[in-house]
Amino acid sequence: MSKVVRFHQTGGPEVLRFDDIEVAAPRSTEVQIRVKALGINRAEVMYRTGQYVIDPQFPATLGYEASGEVIAVGAGVEAFSVGDLVSVIPAFSFAEYGMYGEVVNAPVHAVVKNPAGVSHEEAAATWMMFVTAYGALINYGKLSSGDAVVIGAATSSVGLAAIQIAKMAGATTVALTRSKEKEATLRAIGADHVLLSDDPDLTGHILRASGSRGARVVFDPVGGPNARNIIRAMSHDGVYYQYGALDSRDIAVPVMDILTKHIVIQGYELFEITNDEKKLEQAKAFISAGLTSKALRPVIDRVFRFDEIADAHRYMEAGNQIGKIVVTL
């Protein structure tokens, strides 16, 4: 029997329940993992409250990210063995799998071995944020030395990952935040420039930070009317990736900048990478190399125990964290 966290109705963190279930043997496309740590994601809060892209089927499971030890493999699985220390990447639907449990089955394509020297807590905090940033900046954006990149909501876990990945690529990083107090944290991660997102001269500041060239890549989960001030500071052939819509209002697009500089405004989702076998394998290799070299390290804001998982959700909803929320088992 395994203790798992499920919910039987939508609502606040109080609907999360610990249920004892019998975990089936892994199928031919699965590995079974004894979970040591979980990464908490905003998507899990949205799913629990009935605001996600799919509706929960009760009792509903949760959990995109986990790290632990392989304790069984399905017939024919050759890439993993019992005893391997592994992590789970968000490359499946909550309707199929959930990682909130002492023992869980995970689809083999979503599992990756932990590099040496990476703790379970760090591994559980890694894959959602680094794969999200990698997909836009490297796989699509082809970010390289000499580029300037603007990173919106830079103190989010994905924003912090984006700064590190951009530095790996040799780009100049321009981090946006709503709080002057967070500047030291962003510079410690590697941000070359830190700007207030509501600065009335945001366009001018970005242009100066990029040496007047403008930002070739923008990676922004906010959007909204203020996006026009970022778009005006983009370079010729620049691309603006919108991946979160934290401001649900329409993006204001300065049409002459779009026409004269051939700027692209593109929507982007993590699942564009995790649902594509080739792209996912490339992401695994890039991020594993970064973890091994220590160029990439997840920023962990706070760690909760498994029996405090409702408190971890409350903390996520408060929105004050800088980096990742982790739960240990």
Side-chain angles (χ1 to χ4, degrees), residues 209-322:
S210 64
S212 300
R213 300 186 308 275
R216 191 182 68 77
V217 177
V218 175
F219 184 54
D220 183 29
V222 181
N226 193 51
R228 71 183 300 117
N229 295 322
I230 302 173
I231 295 169
R232 282 176 169 161
M234 292 178 67
S235 70
H236 197 276
D237 292 327
V239 58
Y240 177 109
Y241 293 103
Q242 164 57 227
Y243 71 96
L246 296 179
D247 186 333
S248 61
R249 294 174 293 176
D250 288 344
I251 291 176
V253 177
V255 65
M256 293 311 296
D257 288 86
I258 297 293
L259 289 173
T260 60
K261 293 192 286 186
H262 305 164
I263 291 170
V264 173
I265 309 294
Q266 182 170 328
Y268 166 73
E269 292 182 309
L270 165 70
F271 295 110
E272 295 179 48
I273 305 300
T274 60
N275 287 342
D276 183 303
E277 182 179 353
K278 182 178 179 180
K279 291 177 181 177
L280 180 57
E281 290 306 312
Q282 291 171 338
K284 289 179 181 179
F286 181 94
I287 294 163
S288 293
L291 292 172
T292 298
S293 70
K294 296 184 167 44
L296 302 180
R297 269 296 183 267
V299 177
I300 297 175
D301 180 277
R302 187 170 170 184
V303 178
F304 292 82
R305 300 189 311 271
F306 193 39
D307 61 2
E308 298 174 318
I309 200 158
D311 292 329
H313 271 236
R314 292 186 184 96
Y315 189 64
M316 167 68 78
E317 289 177 326
N320 296 320
Q321 77 274 12
I322 298 177

Side-chain angles (χ1 to χ4, degrees), residues 5-238:
V5 174
R6 302 191 295 190
F7 61 103
H8 298 250
Q9 63 186 65
T10 58
E14 67 279 358
V15 303
L16 297 176
R17 277 179 29 182
F18 287 95
D19 295 335
D20 291 315
I21 67 168
E22 185 172 347
V23 180
R27 296 177 295 183
S28 61
T29 56
E30 297 174 334
V31 299
Q32 191 168 94
I33 301 168
R34 188 177 306 282
V35 176
K36 302 294 184 181
L38 300 165
I40 305 299
N41 294 285
R42 179 71 59 182
E44 292 152 9
V45 171
M46 296 172 68
Y47 189 53
R48 190 202 73 224
T49 56
Q51 299 174 335
Y52 198 45
V53 293
I54 60 171
D55 294 326
Q57 301 297 312
F58 303 119
T61 58
L62 277 169
Y64 269 140
E65 292 181 281
S67 180
E69 180 180 354
V70 174
I71 57 174
V73 299
V77 172
E78 298 179 351
F80 300 96
S81 302
V82 172
D84 284 344
L85 304 182
V86 297
S87 301
V88 180
I89 303 170
F92 49 86
S93 167
F94 286 143
E96 302 170 307
Y97 296 95
M99 297 299 112
Y100 283 13
E102 294 173 327
V103 173
V104 299
N105 290 325
V108 69
H109 72 272
V111 179
V112 60
K113 292 180 182 178
N114 293 348
V118 177
S119 70
H120 286 300
E121 290 83 357
E122 289 173 323
T126 288
W127 292 96
M128 169 75 85
M129 62 194 218
F130 281 115
V131 174
T132 301
Y134 162 87
L137 299 185
I138 304 300
N139 192 282
Y140 289 145
K142 304 293 189 279
L143 199 65
S144 63
S145 178
D147 286 333
V149 55
V150 173
I151 299 167
T155 55
S156 68
S157 60
V158 175
L160 297 172
I163 293 170
Q164 296 179 54
I165 285 176
K167 296 309 293 181
M168 274 186 72
T172 297
T173 51
V174 182
L176 305 185
T177 178
R178 293 182 300 176
S179 173
K180 184 71 174 174
E181 289 70 30
K182 296 178 178 179
E183 179 174 357
T185 297
L186 291 168
R187 289 196 179 276
I189 293 297
D192 297 304
H193 305 273
V194 179
L195 304 176
L196 293 176
S197 54
D198 60 356
D199 191 304
D201 189 28
L202 182 60
T203 300
H205 287 310
I206 294 172
L207 288 171
R208 288 186 285 274
S210 64
S212 300
R213 300 186 308 275
R216 191 182 68 77
V217 177
V218 175
F219 184 54
D220 183 29
V222 181
N226 193 51
R228 71 183 300 117
N229 295 322
I230 302 173
I231 295 169
R232 282 176 169 161
M234 292 178 67
S235 70
H236 197 276
D237 292 327

